[in-house]
């Protein structure tokens, strides 16, 4: 199952709106005879790839799958039936499928006489499939807020300069995060201050994410780098914004709340377009708005060993007025990236698992 989780991660950024899934098939002696993962939406599922690799060796074998085999016919056939037809005699899966349209695969397998159990390494498999699981359970995209800051929490110097707080190694790692996301989101402040490009660079074969720029009054310049053709772009503006100077730009018009685009309105609009994972790269004000709306599912901070003493903080007002209302997080990872420290955390819950070790999940394109 550890290997299946690793395989599933290879599909990050390429399978949306489908989940990432990995499958390993072993024969009666425990020897691996087939491996597969879901490579792209509309393509064969992980189980089918693994069964093809195993061939006749699948008869009497065991299949380890990170997600309960699907039980419905969409653009591909049901994986539960494919496992039955191939002669698999035992299936072990990590996470039950919460999608009512596709669930029921375990029951179908058991009805066919196949020994079927779930829950093995479920925490690790859930972490790797967090974007899809969040989208199914909450009906909105999974949101990762990424930021870079100095050791004293500054995102820029007092004069506004911020290039470069983090190292080249950290910036390269951010491109990996972009490649794993369906959409990258920034606000108008970042558009004006940094003129960001937001496309993935340096990762061969990467699927470019949708670049989403929030600009309520449509004041972005037509020459802004985010509007080039390196990756698709969606400009989110107010309902009455004048966009005549932006011909050909794809627009999402939303109602304004106190002059601002609503976070939940935005996420609903992105979900309707098939976006299941968002990388939030906007500045401190936009991050604060997302946190206040309860719409941040993971935080990744790149902490540089530097001190500024003044300048904007990494996070602006998030609606917290008392220490008792602090947004508590559970630390899930802390690793060195070049000279920097990358910290990953998720909102604290009573049942949040604290992993002691986990398989490495590296995306391959």
């Amino acid at each position: 199952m550890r290997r299946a989780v690793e395989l599933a991660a290879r599909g990050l950024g390429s399978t949306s709106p489908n989940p990432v899934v990995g499958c390993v098939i072993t024969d009666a002696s425990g020897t691996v005879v087939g491996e597969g993962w879901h490579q792209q939406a509309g393509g064969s599922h992980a189980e089918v790839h693994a069964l093809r690799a195993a061939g006749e060796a699948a008869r009497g074998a065991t299949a380890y799958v990170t997600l309960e085999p699907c039980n419905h016919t969409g653009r591909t056939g049901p994986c539960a039936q494919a496992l039955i037809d191939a002669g698999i005699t035992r299936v072990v899966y990590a996470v039950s499928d919460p999608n009512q349209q596709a669930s029921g695969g375990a029951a179908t397998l058991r009805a066919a006489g196949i020994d079927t159990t779930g829950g093995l390494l479920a925490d690790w498999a859930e972490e790797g499939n967090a974007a899809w699981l969040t989208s199914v359970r909450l009906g909105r995209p999974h949101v990762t807020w990424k930021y870079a800051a100095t050791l004293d929490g500054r995102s820029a110097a007092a004069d506004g300069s911020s290039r470069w707080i983090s190292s080249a190694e950290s910036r390269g790692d951010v491109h990996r995060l972009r490649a794993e996301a369906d959409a990258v989101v920034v606000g108008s402040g970042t558009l004006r201050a940094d003129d960001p490009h937001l496309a993935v660079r340096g990762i061969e074969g990467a699927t470019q994410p949708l670049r989403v720029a929030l600009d309520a009054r449509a004041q972005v310049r037509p020459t802004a780098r985010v509007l080039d053709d390196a990756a698709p772009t969606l400009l989110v503006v107010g309902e009455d914004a004048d966009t005549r100077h932006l011909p050909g730009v794809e627009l999402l018009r939303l109602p304004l709340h106190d002059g601002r685009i609503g976070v939940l309105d935005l996420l609903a609009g992105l979900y309707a377009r098939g976006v299941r994972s968002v990388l939030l790269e906007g500045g401190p004000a936009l991050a604060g708005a997302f946190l206040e709306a309860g719409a941040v599912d993971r935080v990744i901070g790149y902490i540089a060993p530097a001190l500024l003493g003044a300048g904007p903080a990494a996070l602006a007002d998030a609606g917290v007025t008392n220490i008792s209302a602090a947004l508590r997080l559970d630390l899930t990872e802390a690793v060195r990236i070049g000279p920097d420290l990358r910290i990953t955390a998720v909102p604290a819950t009573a049942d949040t698992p604290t992993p002691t070790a986990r398989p490495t999940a590296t995306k391959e394109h």
Side-chain angles (χ1 to χ4, degrees):
M1 188 63 79
R2 290 176 183 269
R3 175 59 176 166
V5 172
E6 294 173 1
L7 291 169
R10 298 185 182 185
L12 286 169
S14 303
T15 65
S16 188
N18 293 347
V20 294
V21 183
C23 178
V24 174
I25 296 175
T26 63
D27 64 17
S29 67
T31 300
V32 173
V33 294
E35 295 184 340
W37 69 95
H38 186 35
Q39 299 176 12
Q40 61 183 14
S44 297
H45 290 186
E47 297 93 323
V48 173
H49 283 295
L51 289 170
R52 287 173 181 165
E56 282 301 311
R59 197 158 298 279
T62 296
Y64 296 87
V65 194
T66 58
L67 184 67
E68 178 186 0
C70 67
N71 199 43
H72 82 297
T73 300
R75 284 183 284 183
T76 61
C79 291
Q81 190 60 50
L83 292 166
I84 294 169
D85 293 344
I88 292 288
T89 56
R90 179 170 175 251
V91 173
V92 181
Y93 64 90
V95 181
S96 296
D97 193 333
N99 184 353
Q100 293 184 352
Q101 182 183 10
S103 62
T108 296
L109 291 167
R110 293 188 185 104
I114 295 176
D115 180 10
T116 305
T117 58
L120 181 61
L121 296 187
D123 291 343
W124 284 324
E126 285 229 9
E127 183 181 352
N129 218 5
W132 181 80
L133 289 168
T134 296
S135 70
V136 172
R137 291 166 177 166
L138 301 182
R140 65 159 175 81
H142 178 277
V143 177
T144 295
W145 170 41
K146 181 279 301 180
Y147 72 94
T150 58
L151 200 58
D152 56 342
R154 305 294 177 176
S155 63
D159 65 357
S161 59
S162 62
R163 295 188 178 182
W164 295 102
I165 281 180
S166 60
S167 64
E169 292 89 342
S170 290
R171 297 195 298 275
D173 195 57
V174 169
H175 284 281
R176 175 188 61 82
L177 293 180
R178 289 178 181 175
E180 293 177 355
D182 293 343
V184 180
V185 175
V186 297
S188 57
T190 300
L191 282 178
R192 290 191 298 269
D194 298 339
D195 189 23
H197 192 230
L198 303 181
V200 176
R201 298 188 300 276
I203 300 180
E204 184 178 354
T207 300
Q208 290 291 348
L210 175 68
R211 299 178 293 185
V212 180
L214 279 60
D215 189 9
R217 295 187 294 276
Q219 295 178 323
V220 63
R221 300 186 307 274
T223 57
R225 296 201 303 157
V226 77
L227 298 180
D228 69 12
D229 58 2
T233 299
L234 179 67
L235 186 64
V236 185
V237 300
E239 290 177 315
D240 300 325
D242 185 354
T243 58
R244 289 175 292 180
H245 64 298
L246 300 169
V249 176
E250 184 180 359
L251 302 173
L252 172 60
R253 293 186 179 272
L254 294 174
L256 300 183
H257 306 275
D258 296 326
R260 299 190 303 175
I261 293 165
V263 170
L264 299 183
D265 290 341
L266 169 67
L267 291 177
L270 294 178
Y271 183 87
R273 283 167 166 73
V275 171
R276 298 296 180 263
S277 60
V278 164
L279 180 62
L280 180 62
E281 290 201 40
L286 187 61
F290 268 73
L291 284 163
E292 186 172 10
V296 172
D297 304 292
R298 180 174 62 163
V299 178
I300 298 180
Y302 294 87
I303 310 303
L307 301 172
L308 287 172
L315 178 64
D317 183 11
V320 178
T321 58
N322 186 278
I323 190 63
S324 63
L327 301 167
R328 302 291 179 179
L329 305 173
D330 284 322
L331 185 68
T332 60
E333 186 182 54
V335 296
R336 282 284 296 268
I337 302 289
D340 303 330
L341 180 65
R342 185 187 70 200
I343 294 177
T344 304
V346 297
T349 60
D351 58 354
T352 298
T354 303
T356 56
R358 60 176 179 168
T360 301
T362 303
K363 183 177 182 184
E364 298 181 16
H365 292 278

